[in-house]
């Protein structure tokens, strides 16, 4: 608990990727005795997982994109209205710092903070600096990152960078110290498949057929849990039944942490939250980056875990049943292969992400600058020491 209670505002776009780390930081700051408010859009206010005591303020968030001048005028008006509303909130709430997590709803709040002389921090969850964060990078006090190398970050802004990782939910982080599930030559191979909050159609179309192409000795031991779109679920169920592969299907799983705990292998997209959870827990994966993701950031998110040997990445244009079967067979050819990949993924994690980010945020508007992890500093040394202290999962 800190000696002085202060106020902080967190501003985030209306997706889980932006909001989950904001929620985790809010809980940590509140645990330290501070008061926290959230700024987002209407969609973000409905995202599950918001801490019970966190007040959400919905602001208009205009988008500056496209070639139509009218859309730009409309976007600017919405941004300025959001800025005015944020300034009114700041007058009463008096935040010590405003923290942006990317997305257009964060933009007016950070503009308002800078005009009011309030310190600002941005957190980038992806391995590519997002559009809003790129625009603000030169004006903020600090840039917190989830990866050691961030694409589209101007060299002149690197001195502001603090490598902290991407905060993950407490129930997921709690799995980090638990061993990788036992996987033997004749035991079940539990596979978890998700494609984001709404599932992904390509996974529904490819994964059942790909799993069916595995060698019989492996295929007969499969136990699958897959998240699907509601309109796809019956077709996927029929595919698994036709292949005689036991599968539990759903459009949404509330107990995702427990399912991740049981999984031997993950198949899915490479969003920031997904990769950070896989590395926090230590689960091997086959990742299919979303091809339409802005600046191809999901492909960049894969780099570290793939280079470490904790995952394999397949571009969507190459993601066929044959290719999936080939990659999965190689990863699961013996129990030790998956366990080693799990350990490699674990070594890529940043378990102290939320405390390091909270330390950084607390350093503004209060006590003198605290010791925080900086790029090229102690982050990897700390990770290495932690990795040496952990036995290779069995």
């Amino acid at each position: 608990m800190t000696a002085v209670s202060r106020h902080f505002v967190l501003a985030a776009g209306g997706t889980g990727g932006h909001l989950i780390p904001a929620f985790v930081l809010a809980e940590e700051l509140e645990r330290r005795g501070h008061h926290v408010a959230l700024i987002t859009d209407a969609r973000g206010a409905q995202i599950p997982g918001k801490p019970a005591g966190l007040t959400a303020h919905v602001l208009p968030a205009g988008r500056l994109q496209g070639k139509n001048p009218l859309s730009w005028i409309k976007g600017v008006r919405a941004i300025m209205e959001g800025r005015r509303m944020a300034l009114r909130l700041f007058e009463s709430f008096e935040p010590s710092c405003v923290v942006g997590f990317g997305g257009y709803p964060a933009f007016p709040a950070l503009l308002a903070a800078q005009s009011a002389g309030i310190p600002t921090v941005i957190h980038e969850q992806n391995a590519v600096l997002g559009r809003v964060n790129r625009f603000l990078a030169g004006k903020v006090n600090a840039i917190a990152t989830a990866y050691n190398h961030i694409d589209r970050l101007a060299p002149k802004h690197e001195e502001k960078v603090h490598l902290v990782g991407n905060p993950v939910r407490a129930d997921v982080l709690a799995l980090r110290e638990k061993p990788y599930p036992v996987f033997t030559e004749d035991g079940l191979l539990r596979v978890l498949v998700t494609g984001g909050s709404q599932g992904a159609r390509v996974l529904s179309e490819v994964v059942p057929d790909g799993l069916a192409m595995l060698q019989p000795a492996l295929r007969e031991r499969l136990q699958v849990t897959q998240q699907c779109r509601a309109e796809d679920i019956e077709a996927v169920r029929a595919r698994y039944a036709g292949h005689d592969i036991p599968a539990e299907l759903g459009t949404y799983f509330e107990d995702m942490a427990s399912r991740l705990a049981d999984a031997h292998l993950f198949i899915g997209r490479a969003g920031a939250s997904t990769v950070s959870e896989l590395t926090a827990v230590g689960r091997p994966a086959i990742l299919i980056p979303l091809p339409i993701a802005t600046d191809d950031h999901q492909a960049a998110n894969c780099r570290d875990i793939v280079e470490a040997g904790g995952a394999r990445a397949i571009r969507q244009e190459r993601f066929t049943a044959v290719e999936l079967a080939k990659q999965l067979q190689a990863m699961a050819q013996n129990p030790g292969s998956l366990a080693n990949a799990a350990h490699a993924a674990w070594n890529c994690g940043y378990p102290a992400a939320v405390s390091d980010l909270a330390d950084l945020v607390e350093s503004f508007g209060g006590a003198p600058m605290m010791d925080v992890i900086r790029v090229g500093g102690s982050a990897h040394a700390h990770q290495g020491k932690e990795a040496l202290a952990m036995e290779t999962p069995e």
Side-chain angles (χ1 to χ4, degrees), residues 159-173:
E159 63 181 12
K160 298 182 181 182
V161 171
H162 301 256
L163 174 60
V164 300
N166 192 23
V168 301
R169 296 168 295 173
D171 57 347
V172 172
L173 188 60

Side-chain angles (χ1 to χ4, degrees), residues 73-162:
I73 293 172
K74 182 178 179 181
V76 169
R77 285 176 176 170
I79 290 169
M80 298 312 295
E81 176 58 23
R83 177 179 173 276
R84 285 191 290 271
M85 293 173 67
L87 283 170
R88 289 197 293 271
L89 170 64
F90 298 162
E91 287 176 1
S92 59
F93 194 67
E94 298 183 346
S96 296
C97 181
V98 176
V99 187
F101 287 85
Y104 286 98
F107 192 34
L110 289 162
L111 288 179
Q114 289 163 359
S115 68
I118 300 168
T120 53
V121 174
I122 53 176
H123 180 270
E124 179 55 62
Q125 302 87 52
N126 294 295
V128 181
L129 200 65
R131 290 176 179 174
V132 168
N133 284 348
R134 285 203 298 272
F135 186 87
L136 294 166
K139 305 175 180 65
V140 298
N141 297 84
I143 302 169
T145 64
Y147 294 89
N148 187 46
H149 177 74
I150 304 296
D151 294 346
R152 306 204 68 170
L153 173 68
K156 62 184 178 180
H157 299 146
E158 288 179 355
E159 63 181 12
K160 298 182 181 182
V161 171
H162 301 256

Side-chain angles (χ1 to χ4, degrees), residues 174-259:
L175 303 175
R176 183 169 177 83
E177 302 309 320
K178 296 185 177 181
Y180 179 68
V182 175
F183 176 54
T184 62
E185 294 282 359
D186 56 359
L188 289 174
L189 173 59
R190 292 187 291 272
V191 179
L192 175 63
V193 186
T194 76
S197 60
Q198 298 300 316
R201 177 157 292 164
V202 68
L203 298 176
S204 296
E205 294 171 347
V206 173
V207 174
D209 294 345
L211 297 181
M213 290 182 179
L214 294 172
Q215 295 178 5
L218 193 58
R219 185 182 68 239
E220 292 166 1
R221 296 153 54 201
L222 286 171
Q223 187 175 75
V224 180
T225 299
Q226 183 162 347
Q227 182 189 48
C228 311
R229 294 175 183 266
E231 59 269 30
D232 298 335
I233 196 165
E234 292 307 320
V236 177
R237 197 183 311 279
R239 287 192 184 202
Y240 278 118
H243 296 313
D244 198 25
I245 296 175
E248 179 187 1
L249 308 180
T251 56
Y252 179 75
F253 296 117
E254 291 187 2
D255 56 341
M256 190 59 76
S258 64
R259 295 174 187 277

Side-chain angles (χ1 to χ4, degrees), residues 250-306:
T251 56
Y252 179 75
F253 296 117
E254 291 187 2
D255 56 341
M256 190 59 76
S258 64
R259 295 174 187 277
L260 189 59
D262 292 337
H264 294 110
L265 177 70
F266 174 88
I267 301 174
R269 294 300 194 190
S273 293
T274 296
V275 175
S276 59
E277 290 185 354
L278 291 172
T279 56
V281 176
R283 290 297 180 270
I286 295 176
L287 301 172
I288 304 90
L290 180 67
I292 61 172
T294 305
D295 298 318
D296 200 22
H297 66 254
Q298 288 202 4
N301 291 348
C302 294
R303 283 189 306 232
D304 289 356
I305 189 173
V306 169

Side-chain angles (χ1 to χ4, degrees), residues 333-381:
Q333 58 185 336
N334 61 67
S337 298
L338 277 180
N340 289 337
H343 189 55
W346 189 93
N347 281 341
C348 292
Y350 290 90
V354 66
S355 60
D356 287 340
L357 181 57
D359 287 348
L360 174 63
V361 170
E362 278 187 325
S363 71
F364 294 101
M369 188 69 173
M370 301 170 68
D371 242 342
V372 292
I373 297 175
R374 297 186 69 87
V375 169
S378 61
H380 289 298

Side-chain angles (χ1 to χ4, degrees), residues 57-75:
H57 300 267
V58 176
L59 269 62
R63 291 174 174 263
L64 302 179
Q65 58 185 13
K67 298 181 179 180
N68 186 344
L70 293 179
S71 68
W72 275 69
I73 293 172
K74 182 178 179 181

